[in-house]
């Protein structure tokens, strides 16, 4: 991709997906500050799974001609910051408590698949995630801090990029590097298709989680009328499902902020 078109092409190709994603009730709810600590904890679990897969594959393909120009581990890597946040909220045994939905697992599996088979497609995912986080990170961090009533920024490391002094200048550099990547016409088309697919995977997750939420809520309401031991598991399911919905909505918010 040359002539400063790759980033613009991806943005144009995913425009409709952006609109669909931003108009989900889940995303609107997050932007209104409707998030709980339980929900945020599950958000971190989902983000950790996604970024662990993305950064594993970026590291493994760091010398690939398509990946090397946009490989900025010192400036962009999110895994360590997410690990700090998870340890803050879950404690030292956090790895035993990480829960991710099937949809998130499918997304991480996709990242690992293209990392093995078509590493140039990582460009689409890296652009979508990192530039989205750089654009919306500060705002989302403030929303989260206020919503959860946090007095400090502990537990909010994910939203901060200490290695990036100016997000706007860095995004310009990143786009310039993307535009320097040389791909065949077939590869260019594949990258654009992968960018669309990345958004579609998230939109599908929104739909699946809304269905899960409806079922879980209905089940919990039924059990409220019973004084049985089944009440606790049902309540836990509701908390888990609501958390997943908000988590994935947040992922979408970051993407839309490109």
């Amino acid at each position: 991709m040359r002539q400063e078109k790759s980033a613009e092409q991806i943005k144009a190709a995913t425009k409709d997906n952006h609109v669909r994603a931003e108009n989900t009730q889940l995303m609107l709810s997050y932007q209104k500050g409707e998030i709980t600590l339980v929900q945020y904890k599950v958000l971190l679990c989902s983000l950790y799974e996604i970024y662990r897969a993305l950064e594993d594959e970026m590291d493994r393909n760091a010398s690939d001609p398509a990946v090397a120009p946009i490989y900025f581990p010192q400036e962009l890597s999110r895994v360590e910051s997410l690990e700090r946040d998870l340890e803050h909220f879950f404690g030292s045994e956090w790895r035993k408590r990480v829960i991710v939905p099937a949809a998130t697992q499918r997304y991480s599996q996709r990242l690992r698949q293209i990392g093995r088979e078509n590493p140039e497609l990582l460009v689409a995912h890296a652009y979508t995630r990192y530039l989205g986080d750089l654009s919306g990170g500060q705002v989302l961090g403030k929303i989260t801090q206020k919503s959860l009533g946090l007095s400090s920024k502990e537990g909010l490391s994910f939203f901060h990029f200490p290695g990036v002094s100016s997000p706007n200048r860095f995004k310009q550099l990143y786009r310039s590097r993307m535009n320097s990547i040389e791909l065949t016409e077939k590869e260019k088309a594949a990258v654009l298709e992968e960018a669309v697919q990345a958004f579609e995977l998230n939109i599908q997750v929104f739909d699946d989680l809304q269905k899960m939420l409806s079922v879980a809520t209905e089940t919990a309401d039924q059990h409220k009328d019973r004084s049985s031991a089944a009440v606790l598991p049902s309540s836990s399911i509701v908390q888990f499902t609501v958390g997943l919905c908000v988590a994935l909505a947040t992922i979408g918010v970051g993407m839309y902020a490109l």
Side-chain angles (χ1 to χ4, degrees):
M1 292 184 177
R2 292 182 173 183
Q3 300 177 352
E4 300 184 350
K5 291 184 179 180
S6 59
E8 291 81 358
Q9 287 176 339
I10 289 179
K11 188 171 184 177
T14 58
K15 181 178 179 180
D16 291 343
N17 306 82
H18 275 142
V19 173
R20 289 171 56 203
E22 74 164 346
N23 282 297
T24 62
Q25 186 58 47
L26 302 179
M27 185 174 298
L28 295 174
S29 295
Y30 191 95
Q31 294 180 83
K32 291 177 182 177
E34 298 173 358
I35 184 172
T36 68
L37 182 57
V38 171
Q39 294 165 344
Y40 182 58
K41 287 180 179 180
V42 183
L43 155 66
L44 294 176
C45 293
S46 293
L47 289 174
Y48 177 69
E49 183 71 10
I50 292 170
Y51 271 105
R52 191 159 62 96
L54 176 60
E55 293 179 4
D56 280 351
E57 297 308 317
M58 292 289 286
D59 291 345
R60 195 157 64 87
N61 291 283
S63 61
D64 185 273
V67 175
I70 58 166
Y71 183 63
F72 293 94
Q74 296 301 317
E75 294 84 357
L76 297 178
S77 292
R78 298 290 82 201
V79 168
E80 289 186 7
S81 63
L82 284 164
E83 289 177 344
R84 289 195 297 272
D85 290 342
L86 288 165
E87 183 171 1
H88 173 75
F89 288 113
F90 289 103
S92 59
E93 298 292 309
W94 66 269
R95 293 182 187 277
K96 298 179 180 179
R97 303 177 66 183
V98 168
I99 305 171
V100 294
T104 299
Q105 292 177 342
R106 287 195 297 272
Y107 189 74
S108 65
Q109 287 168 0
R110 176 59 181 169
L111 289 168
R112 294 187 186 283
Q113 178 187 1
I114 63 176
R116 293 191 305 269
E117 301 173 2
N118 305 98
E120 69 276 3
L121 298 184
L122 290 171
V123 172
H125 293 280
Y127 168 83
T128 299
R129 278 251 48 95
Y130 289 126
L131 264 65
D133 292 333
L134 276 173
S135 297
Q138 295 300 313
V139 173
L140 291 176
K142 291 178 181 178
I143 289 176
T144 305
Q145 185 174 16
K146 183 177 180 180
S147 299
L148 302 183
L150 302 177
S151 58
S152 70
K153 293 184 178 180
E154 289 189 15
L156 301 171
S157 298
F158 170 74
F159 299 108
H160 301 287
F161 292 78
V164 178
S165 58
S166 170
N168 287 334
R169 285 200 298 270
F170 187 84
K171 286 188 292 184
Q172 290 175 358
L173 170 64
Y174 195 93
R175 293 188 183 101
S176 176
R177 291 288 189 88
M178 279 186 66
N179 296 330
S180 73
I181 299 173
E182 296 188 9
L183 299 175
T184 65
E185 291 301 318
K186 183 177 180 179
E187 289 172 334
K188 292 178 185 179
V191 170
L192 294 180
E193 183 178 347
E194 189 67 25
V196 172
Q197 178 64 12
F199 279 97
E200 282 302 313
L201 286 170
N202 281 278
I203 291 172
Q204 290 170 17
V205 168
F206 296 160
D207 293 339
D208 288 346
L209 289 179
Q210 286 195 321
K211 293 176 184 177
M212 289 170 58
L213 179 59
S214 297
V215 172
T217 302
E218 181 179 350
T219 302
D221 288 342
Q222 292 175 351
H223 280 277
K224 283 180 181 178
D225 296 329
R226 306 174 188 175
S227 56
S228 67
V231 172
L232 181 57
S234 298
S235 176
S236 298
I237 290 173
V238 173
Q239 287 184 323
F240 173 65
T241 309
V242 173
L244 296 182
C245 289
V246 176
L248 288 154
T250 306
I251 295 173
V253 171
M255 289 181 174
Y256 190 74
L258 292 175

